[in-house]
């Protein structure tokens, strides 16, 4: 059974707490979940913010330094919502199409997973606002700006002292 994933972005796919390998066919992503003897399967779609982890500050600081004050690191996602959705059902021999709708950070959480086919169970298909991750992202942005200004000022002071003697 194939499950096609439309607009997946940074959502991870798991089955039995193990990540599923994501394949690509004609530009479309899909996974092949294991189906038991009765044709039953259960798949989880999980999205967490980079700022919701336990060691977020050390990871952010490491990549900020490696990326030369954060200028050469990829931008963090604007969306700090989390998703924990389970899709289960019985394999009917047809591929299942799962569409992901990513929320706008201005408007809050909303529906995150839609199935094109009917007859499957969907639990937790809505995004949840992660307030802790939003606060951490604001703190990171503030600290990053302050540290950039401080380092630039320090470099200017060192250059002026070197020129003056």
């Amino acid at each position: 059974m194939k499950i096609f994933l439309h607009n997946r972005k940074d959502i991870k796919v798991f089955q039995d707490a193990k990540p599923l390998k994501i394949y690509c066919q004609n530009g479309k992503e899909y996974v092949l979940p294991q189906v038991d003897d009765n044709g039953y399967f259960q798949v989880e779609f999980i999205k967490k913010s980079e700022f919701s982890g336990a060691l977020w500050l050390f990871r952010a600081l490491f990549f900020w330094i490696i990326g030369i004050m954060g200028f050469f690191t990829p931008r963090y996602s604007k969306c700090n919502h989390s998703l924990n959705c389970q899709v289960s059902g019985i394999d009917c021999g047809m591929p299942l199409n799962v569409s992901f709708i990513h929320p706008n950070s201005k408007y809050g959480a909303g529906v995150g997973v839609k199935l094109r086919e009917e007859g499957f169970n969907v639990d937790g298909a809505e995004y949840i606002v992660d307030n802790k991750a939003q606060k951490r992202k604001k703190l990171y942005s503030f600290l990053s700006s302050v540290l950039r200004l401080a380092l630039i000022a320090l470099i200017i002071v060192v250059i002026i002292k070197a020129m003056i003697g």
Side-chain angles (χ1 to χ4, degrees):
M1 168 179 202
K2 285 186 182 179
I3 299 178
F4 285 98
L5 310 170
H6 303 280
N7 197 23
R8 182 181 64 88
K9 291 189 180 180
D10 57 350
I11 295 174
K12 295 176 175 56
V13 185
F14 294 91
Q15 185 175 31
D16 298 329
K18 296 177 187 171
L20 288 177
K21 184 175 180 182
I22 297 173
Y23 300 97
C24 193
Q25 174 186 10
N26 298 331
K28 295 180 181 179
E29 294 180 323
Y30 69 93
V31 293
L32 298 170
Q34 296 294 324
V35 180
D36 66 6
D37 296 335
N38 299 328
Y40 181 79
F41 71 94
Q42 182 174 1
V43 178
E44 292 181 82
F45 302 107
I46 297 176
K47 180 200 179 295
K48 301 268 185 206
S49 173
E50 297 94 342
F51 295 100
S52 63
L55 300 174
W56 71 273
L57 185 61
F58 296 111
R59 190 172 357 128
L61 182 63
F62 174 74
F63 285 110
W64 190 85
I65 292 169
I66 296 297
I68 306 172
M69 296 189 295
F71 288 116
F72 297 107
T73 56
R75 292 201 177 265
Y76 288 109
S77 174
K78 291 181 180 180
C79 175
N80 291 317
H81 298 78
S82 62
L83 176 72
N84 190 356
C85 177
Q86 294 182 350
V87 175
S88 60
I90 296 177
D91 181 11
C92 60
M94 299 291 292
L96 174 64
N97 290 289
V98 179
S99 297
F100 298 99
I101 300 142
H102 300 281
N104 188 338
S105 59
K106 294 180 183 178
Y107 301 116
V111 175
V113 177
K114 285 191 178 179
L115 302 179
R116 294 185 185 168
E117 291 77 19
E118 294 183 12
F120 296 97
N121 299 327
V122 180
D123 294 324
E126 293 186 3
Y127 280 97
I128 300 169
V129 178
D130 192 350
N131 292 326
K132 186 185 285 187
Q134 286 181 339
K135 289 178 185 176
R136 288 176 175 177
K137 184 175 180 185
K138 286 180 183 178
L139 177 66
Y140 169 78
S141 297
F142 174 74
L143 291 177
S144 177
S145 300
V146 169
L147 284 173
R148 284 178 186 167
L149 290 174
L151 282 174
I152 290 171
L154 180 67
I155 291 170
I156 291 172
V157 167
V158 168
I159 290 173
I160 290 174
K161 284 201 175 208
M163 291 174 78
I164 293 175

